[in-house]
Amino acid sequence: MMQVLPIQNGATTKECPPLGRLIVLTGPSGVGKGTLMRALLQRHPELYYSVSMTTRSPRPGEIDGKNYYFVSRSKFEQLAAQGEFLEWAEFAGNAYGTPREAVLNQVSSGKLVILEIELEGARQIRASFPSALSIFILPPSFDELERRIRGRAQDSEEAIARRLRRAQEEIQAADEFDIQIVNDDFETAVNAIEAALFE
Ligand code: ADP
Ligand code: 5GP
């Protein structure tokens, strides 16, 4: 029987996951990406959430291997040099990266794999995987974004300032992505992501 592969926009020299699909969820820090992801995973345990690696220190309550793999800068640089990341980027003074092998294995086994990553990494994935579905989450307003970052109460004043500066640049890039969803009412936003994934 003939096997039908997803169309890769003629991307013969690019990396082509044969069966499942990569989903990129991006948007400024504090917009609610992590909270939306958790709600989605509760509703759809069959989704595969890629746990990233970072040089950032764990926040209170964060667990190594669940929220992130927390590693030293030298370990991160070694892995990056060995090509172990599908994408990686610097964000607000730390490095973040998506483990290549785990993600490609999951996509090959037919899973919907979600990467919750910042703008530069999202751009790298779009370039390498043109068939990935990319979703940009927007805040209802910049003031509300600041309230959410501060309300989370887990970042230093300096980290908050860096994240807000970066957020302004990130929001301007929203149109580069396939779908834009405003995370104002939480349920409405989860439903919109769900519709995009399973339509
Ligand atoms: P990100 O992962 O994008 O950095 P988080 O998921 O940590 O953002 O969310 C930042 C804060 O905003 C959290 O305190 C979260 O509870 C809150 N939040 C998320 N979505 C909403 C929403 N729709 N309305 C109000 N607060 C929200
Ligand atoms: P935080 O420090 O708030 O957990 O994450 C900061 C930013 O890094 C967020 O926008 C988050 O989506 C992003 N991020 C998390 N993991 C990765 C990753 O593997 N790669 C990239 N490029 N960004 C990531």
Side-chain angles (χ1 to χ4, degrees), residues 33 52 56 59 68 87 96-98 116-118 163:
K33 300 184 300 296
S52 297
R56 165 165 84 58
R59 293 182 180 132
Y68 283 105
E87 62 70 37
Y96 297 78
T98 300
E116 189 243 282
I117 58 180
E118 55 67 66
R163 277 158 196 265

Side-chain angles (χ1 to χ4, degrees), residues 56-95:
R56 165 165 84 58
S57 307
R59 293 182 180 132
E62 284 187 331
I63 297 167
D64 188 41
K66 182 165 183 274
N67 304 93
Y68 283 105
Y69 297 104
F70 296 99
V71 295
S72 64
R73 174 63 71 164
S74 59
K75 177 77 184 172
F76 191 99
E77 283 173 0
Q78 183 198 334
L79 292 171
Q82 290 168 352
E84 297 284 340
F85 295 122
L86 212 49
E87 62 70 37
W88 71 272
E90 295 282 344
F91 181 90
N94 286 296

Side-chain angles (χ1 to χ4, degrees), residues 16-43:
C16 295
L19 291 168
R21 194 161 195 208
L22 266 182
I23 313 291
V24 176
L25 194 66
T26 191
S29 174
V31 77
K33 300 184 300 296
T35 318
L36 290 164
M37 269 305 311
R38 282 192 290 281
L40 265 180
L41 287 170
Q42 262 183 356
R43 287 192 197 178

Side-chain angles (χ1 to χ4, degrees), residues 142-173:
F142 201 77
D143 285 352
E144 172 62 13
L145 182 69
E146 180 164 0
R147 261 194 297 280
R148 287 185 193 172
I149 293 183
R150 291 189 181 283
R152 190 164 61 183
Q154 286 180 328
D155 299 300
S156 67
E157 196 54 40
E158 192 206 337
I160 290 172
R162 276 202 268 190
R163 277 158 196 265
L164 286 172
R165 275 199 300 276
R166 175 74 178 247
Q168 272 167 334
E169 294 167 26
E170 293 201 311
I171 288 169
Q172 283 169 16

